[in-house]
Amino acid sequence: MSDLISLKEAAEILGVDILFLTHVIDVGDVLPSLPVPKDFREIVFTTDDIERFRLEVARRRFTNFKADYSDVYQQDERPGARGLEFGPGWEGLLRDYADGLRALNAAGGRSRLGWGKEKFGALHLYSDYLLATESAVINLHREAYRASLQTCQECGAAARLRFGHSVCLTLCDRHKHLVGEPDPARDGIILDVSAWTREHGRIAE
């Protein structure tokens, strides 16, 4: 058993931080071969595990998307630059959005996706585009946003916005544990934070 790899060593091999790796394990779709202990610091990996987790890291970094859509995706490189900061379950929505940009560009537009994030359980994408295509790009943004509130950001299955006491995420039944204990005052009641705050005259933080 001397060839087992510690959590810290695995994170270094995979080029990720420990929090990223423990989140992947917490999601539960890709797990080490040996049982996961209650104390995450005691998690160990085999060399075969490392290869499986390497594939998962690539999926969560949207490696295939970036290669397939290099014509319409150019990562923001300005100060404070950001990337694609959301779960892999939304890759289908991301591809639909990028296909929409491609269609606009084929018709003479010029638009490129720069980055995106999850906020209050919804997908927010940010692009540069010609003013002439502004309304079309905004419609693509709205469709991605709307669809994300019905799609699990971890696996892409049908989902809804779920509220824990400290976080809200759009998740399916299989991944709902990621928000912790549901907050009965909001879970199942607020299904779109932005719409709810507008309706109640509040400002989303």
Side-chain angles (χ1 to χ4, degrees):
M1 302 294 281
S2 60
D3 60 342
L4 292 178
I5 301 163
S6 71
L7 178 65
K8 181 179 179 181
E9 291 169 337
E12 291 173 353
I13 292 168
L14 295 167
V16 299
D17 61 38
I18 289 175
L19 286 178
F20 180 102
L21 195 49
T22 54
H23 173 73
V24 172
I25 295 169
D26 192 27
V27 169
D29 295 339
V30 182
L31 295 170
S33 301
L34 296 176
V36 176
K38 289 185 178 180
D39 185 343
F40 269 34
R41 291 171 297 183
E42 297 177 2
I43 293 172
V44 291
F45 301 79
T46 66
T47 53
D48 287 342
D49 292 338
I50 295 298
E51 292 313 307
R52 291 188 300 106
F53 274 83
R54 197 184 305 279
L55 292 174
E56 180 64 6
V57 169
R59 187 174 80 97
R60 289 178 172 274
R61 288 179 170 169
F62 302 98
T63 301
N64 289 339
F65 168 82
K66 292 173 181 177
D68 294 344
Y69 288 88
S70 59
D71 57 318
V72 290
Y73 173 71
Q74 183 174 17
Q75 185 166 327
D76 182 20
E77 295 182 350
R78 292 171 288 194
R82 305 181 69 170
L84 301 174
E85 301 168 2
F86 45 85
W90 285 346
E91 182 166 344
L93 309 183
L94 182 63
R95 287 175 176 269
D96 289 344
Y97 177 86
D99 284 337
L101 294 186
R102 273 183 173 166
L104 291 176
N105 292 350
R110 191 171 70 248
S111 52
R112 294 182 75 92
L113 171 64
W115 65 286
K117 67 178 180 178
E118 175 274 326
K119 182 178 181 181
F120 298 126
L123 177 59
H124 297 260
L125 297 169
Y126 300 87
S127 297
D128 294 319
Y129 49 85
L130 293 176
L131 185 60
T133 61
E134 181 176 22
S135 62
V137 175
I138 288 173
N139 285 338
L140 291 174
H141 287 175
R142 287 174 176 163
E143 177 56 25
Y145 177 94
R146 181 201 63 76
S148 70
L149 287 169
Q150 302 172 38
T151 306
C152 178
Q153 69 177 62
E154 288 298 335
C155 70
R160 70 166 174 83
L161 183 65
R162 298 178 189 272
F163 267 92
H165 289 279
S166 61
V167 66
C168 63
L169 299 168
T170 299
L171 301 166
C172 64
D173 287 344
R174 185 160 60 92
H175 292 114
K176 64 184 181 182
H177 68 279
L178 295 174
V179 298
E181 186 68 25
D183 178 352
R186 297 181 293 177
D187 187 59
I189 297 168
I190 302 173
L191 300 178
D192 180 339
V193 174
S194 294
W196 186 87
T197 53
R198 287 195 302 271
E199 181 181 338
H200 291 79
R202 301 182 184 184
I203 298 175
E205 296 177 358

